[in-house]
Amino acid sequence: MKPLEGLLVLEFAQFMAAPTAGLKLADLGARVIKIERPIKGEGGRQIAIKNLFVDGDSLVFHTINRNKESYAADLKNPEDLERVKKLIAHADVMTHNFRPGVMEKIGLDYEQAIKINPKLVYGIVTGYGNKGPWANKPGQDLLVQSLSGLTWLSGTSKSGPTPFGLATADMICGHHLTQGILAALIKRAKTQKSVLVEVSLLESILDLQFEVITSFLNDGNKLPQRGSEAGTAHAYLSAPYGIYKTKDAYLALAMGNLLFIGETLKIDFSAYQDKASWFTQRDEITQLLASRIQEESTSYWIDLLNSKGIWCSPIFNYQQFLNQEAYKVLGFDQELDLPTGEILKGTRSPIQINREKLYSRKAAPKAGAETELINQQFNLI
C-alpha cells in the first residue's frame, strides 16, 4: 500500500509546475483527477519538447501527467461548475495555477472552496506571487530564470547570460508545492481545518539559489564572478572545480587540495600556496590544469586520481550514462501502457518506501477520459 492511497486530489492546473506536484502525489498513491476543458483539455497537451507527440498529446504532457485521471468540465457552464463543486466536497486537496483573480471570478477561490469543504488543503502556484507589479506577468520558466539572476551563474564570463537547459523553475516549484501540501495534510490532521498553501515560480527559483544569494548578501553585494576559461563550473568555487578536456574526452574535477592535486598531476603550483589565490587566480590555475590534463586520456586520469582519493569523474552523455551498470541497478526505467496498446518509455519516482520502488504503468489520460466514471462514483448527476 502506497502512503497516500485514499487521498483525493483535484488538479485545476496546466503546463508544468502544479501538474508536477500532482505527479509526485500520484506516485505516492493519491488519486489525482485533472479538471480539464472538454475536448482540448489543458494547454500543456500541446506544449511539445522537440515537437514530439504521443497519441495526440505532447510527450512532455505524458511525462508530467502519468497515473492521473481526467474530468472534463467547462467552468463557465453553471451545470458543470455545480458538478465540480460537488466533487470538491469529497476532495482532500485542490491545486491550481491560474492567474490571480481567475478563480475568484469562477467562485472557486480559497475562501469559496472551504465553504464547500472546510477541511480542504488548497494549493496555489503563481508566477511571482499574488501581489506586486509582477503579479500578472506570465509565469514562464525562461522568464523567471532570466529575472532572478540565475542565468548569470552558468557558462563563462565570456558567455553572457546562460539559461539552464531544462524547466528549472517549474520543476523546483512543483516540488515545493508537494512539500507544502504534505505539511498541510499533517497540520489538517491535527486541527481538522483547511490549510492554504501558496508557492511561486520566482520564490522557488530564489530558494534554489539560496547558497549563492546568501554569499552575495554577505560579501558586500559583489556579483558572482564566472571564470573565463571553458569548463568553469561554479561562480563561487575555487580551482580546480570544473570540467577539463582530456586527450580523448572530458574529465570533471571537484573540490580538493590544489597543492596535492598539483603533486599528483606533476604541475608546479608553488606560486599558489595561499588558498585565497585558488579563488583570485582561478583562471590562471585552470589554464595550467587544462594544459596538463589534455596530455592524457580520461581513463588514465581517472585511474590515477581515484588511486589518490581525489574526487573526479568522466563526463557522460545520456547514451553513455543509461548504459552504465550504476544506472541499471537503480531500476529507474519505467514503461507506461498507452490506450493505443503502445508502450511509452520513461522514468519512475526517485522515492522508495520500505525499500519498495514506486512504479506505475498508467499513462496520462485522454482529456475527459474518466468523466462518466467519476460522475457515477461521486453521484454528480
Side-chain angles (χ1 to χ4, degrees):
M1 181 175 179
K2 294 182 179 179
L4 298 185
E5 285 188 20
L7 195 78
L8 179 59
V9 179
L10 302 183
E11 183 178 282
F12 295 75
Q14 57 184 344
F15 302 119
M16 298 189 78
T20 294
L23 169 66
K24 301 307 175 185
L25 297 173
D27 281 343
L28 289 167
R31 182 180 184 183
V32 179
I33 300 175
K34 293 182 68 68
I35 309 299
E36 301 189 79
R37 295 175 299 178
I39 305 174
K40 290 185 177 181
E42 64 125 305
R45 290 182 178 272
Q46 299 305 310
I47 300 298
I49 291 180
K50 204 178 176 182
N51 202 32
L52 293 174
F53 284 81
V54 177
D55 194 22
D57 294 313
S58 72
L59 179 60
V60 70
F61 176 83
H62 281 279
T63 65
I64 300 169
N65 291 284
R66 68 167 183 258
N67 209 20
K68 299 178 185 178
E69 301 173 38
S70 176
Y71 184 85
D74 178 357
L75 299 181
K76 296 180 181 179
N77 181 304
E79 293 181 356
D80 280 7
L81 182 59
E82 188 59 32
R83 281 191 284 271
V84 166
K85 288 181 177 179
K86 289 180 181 178
L87 192 54
I88 290 173
H90 294 277
D92 295 287
V93 177
M94 172 177 167
T95 66
H96 80 80
N97 64 343
F98 291 114
R99 294 190 310 275
V102 171
M103 291 299 258
E104 285 80 359
K105 290 180 181 178
I106 298 172
L108 295 181
D109 56 293
Y110 175 64
E111 284 72 19
Q112 296 300 315
I114 62 173
K115 291 178 182 178
I116 301 169
N117 184 342
K119 295 183 180 180
L120 186 67
V121 171
Y122 192 102
I124 302 174
V125 174
T126 62
Y128 310 88
N130 54 23
K131 295 180 181 179
W134 292 354
N136 289 305
K137 189 178 181 66
Q140 198 278 332
D141 189 272
L142 178 61
L143 303 185
V144 176
Q145 288 193 43
S146 300
L147 288 167
S148 68
L150 184 69
T151 58
W152 292 105
L153 296 179
S154 297
T156 69
S157 58
K158 305 170 186 176
S159 305
T162 305
F164 275 56
L166 70 165
T168 311
D170 284 321
M171 296 297 101
I172 192 66
C173 187
H175 284 78
H176 285 160
L177 179 59
T178 305
Q179 294 170 11
I181 288 171
L182 294 175
L185 288 168
I186 294 173
K187 181 174 182 178
R188 186 188 70 171
K190 295 176 180 178
T191 65
Q192 297 300 302
K193 294 181 180 179
S194 66
V195 184
L196 174 63
V197 179
E198 297 177 275
V199 295
S200 73
L201 297 179
L202 181 60
E203 289 165 293
S204 286
I205 207 70
L206 292 176
D207 183 69
L208 181 66
Q209 299 177 79
F210 80 93
E211 173 191 15
V212 290
I213 290 176
T214 300
S215 298
F216 170 80
L217 293 173
N218 290 278
D219 186 34
N221 289 357
K222 296 176 184 176
L223 291 172
Q225 296 297 313
R226 297 175 296 174
S228 64
E229 297 304 306
T232 304
H234 195 302
Y236 283 100
L237 290 182
S238 67
Y241 197 86
I243 291 174
Y244 300 86
K245 186 171 176 48
T246 66
K247 192 173 184 178
D248 61 350
Y250 293 90
L251 173 79
L253 275 178
M255 292 83 70
N257 186 302
L258 182 66
L259 301 179
F260 180 62
I261 291 173
E263 291 176 11
T264 303
L265 274 62
K266 295 184 172 55
I267 302 174
D268 181 10
F269 282 145
S270 58
Y272 307 102
Q273 297 289 334
D274 183 0
K275 287 187 177 181
S277 68
W278 304 358
F279 291 90
T280 59
Q281 295 174 273
R282 176 177 56 186
D283 288 343
E284 295 175 21
I285 296 168
T286 298
Q287 289 175 1
L288 292 172
L289 284 164
S291 179
R292 175 71 178 109
I293 290 172
Q294 69 180 354
E295 294 176 359
E296 303 290 350
S297 68
T298 297
S299 60
Y300 173 88
W301 290 125
I302 293 294
D303 291 343
L304 175 62
L305 296 171
N306 280 341
S307 72
K308 301 294 184 178
I310 296 171
W311 292 358
C312 64
S313 171
I315 312 297
F316 293 143
N317 59 33
Y318 290 137
Q319 290 175 336
Q320 295 166 326
F321 173 67
L322 296 180
N323 281 308
Q324 297 295 314
E325 182 60 27
Y327 172 77
K328 293 177 181 179
V329 74
L330 296 176
F332 207 63
D333 291 346
Q334 177 169 269
E335 293 184 341
L336 302 176
D337 298 315
L338 295 172
T340 59
E342 298 174 285
I343 299 296
L344 179 64
K345 295 181 179 180
T347 57
R348 64 167 173 84
S349 167
I351 300 170
Q352 295 186 43
I353 302 294
N354 290 335
R355 298 181 178 173
E356 180 180 348
K357 297 180 176 71
L358 303 178
Y359 293 102
S360 172
R361 297 192 66 93
K362 180 176 171 55
K366 299 295 289 182
E370 287 81 19
T371 302
E372 291 186 15
L373 173 64
I374 292 168
N375 280 336
Q376 293 174 5
Q377 286 182 338
F378 292 95
N379 194 27
L380 302 182
I381 296 179

